[in-house]
Amino acid sequence: EKKHTVMADESVPEVTTDPKVKKGVKDLSLPIKPSATKACLGLADNIRKASDETSKREARRQMGLRVEEKGKFTDGGVVPMMVQCLPVCKEKVMTEAVSLCVALALAESPQNVGLATGVNVEKVVVDLVANKSLLVQAHAAMAIAAVATAGTAENRAK
């Protein structure tokens, strides 16, 4: 099984080519907007509807790539932004959509877990377990498993 590697030239980060990731940066910037729900469902569909594991890996990778919009760059793509949205989601449907997308983005992607550690992903996903929605609780469990499997700077799984 071939794993994705970081680009050889670290000085020029790769920019995403996924239009849903580009739009997601707008929709997921704080303060949170109602469009965050739709953006996360679209991003989650990129992974859920992928035809094979290679396509799923690429969809996850695109979510963590740098976004360039009108000369402005957003490093880490939508991954840290989604994690930052979770504690401020007020509506059940939005929390379910964002938590689903976070869980799918982190699953089998140590790179995305790495991007999310800067925004306290461990605490955020553990706090989700207390959510009343069973879907959110299930997404939290998936995300916790992904973070635990990948390990973080403070907590190496390997």
Side-chain angles (χ1 to χ4, degrees):
E1 183 179 330
K2 191 176 158 222
K3 298 211 181 213
H4 282 287
T5 54
V6 179
M7 286 183 56
D9 183 1
E10 292 288 333
S11 63
V12 184
E14 187 178 357
V15 176
T16 187
T17 55
D18 187 334
K20 287 183 183 176
V21 174
K22 289 179 180 180
K23 181 158 176 21
V25 166
K26 286 186 208 135
D27 294 336
L28 291 164
S29 60
L30 295 175
I32 199 161
K33 297 165 231 20
S35 57
T37 302
K38 187 175 179 191
C40 282
L41 289 174
L43 289 163
D45 280 349
N46 280 0
I47 297 169
R48 292 190 306 182
K49 294 180 178 177
S51 57
D52 56 30
E53 286 307 310
T54 304
S55 301
K56 287 180 186 202
R57 261 195 308 277
E58 180 58 19
R60 285 186 180 100
R61 193 180 78 79
Q62 286 288 331
M63 291 170 88
L65 293 179
R66 184 180 225 201
V67 176
E68 191 264 324
E69 188 69 34
K70 296 179 184 145
K72 188 176 161 216
F73 291 93
T74 304
D75 287 319
V78 293
V79 175
M81 298 177 93
M82 291 186 302
V83 174
Q84 287 176 310
C85 284
L86 277 170
V88 294
C89 286
K90 299 287 182 242
E91 295 147 18
K92 179 182 175 188
V93 173
M94 183 183 286
T95 307
E96 288 173 352
V98 178
S99 64
L100 168 67
C101 201
V102 167
L104 290 172
L106 298 179
E108 299 171 40
S109 180
Q111 296 87 347
N112 285 351
V113 171
L115 292 170
T117 56
V119 290
N120 211 6
V121 68
E122 290 172 303
K123 180 182 181 341
V124 171
V125 295
V126 168
D127 287 350
L128 282 181
V129 175
N131 192 286
K132 290 183 194 91
S133 165
L134 292 177
L135 273 176
V136 173
Q137 291 173 22
H139 302 155
M142 282 174 58
I144 290 166
V147 172
T149 301
T152 61
E154 296 78 35
N155 173 20
R156 282 285 154 227
K158 311 228 176 317

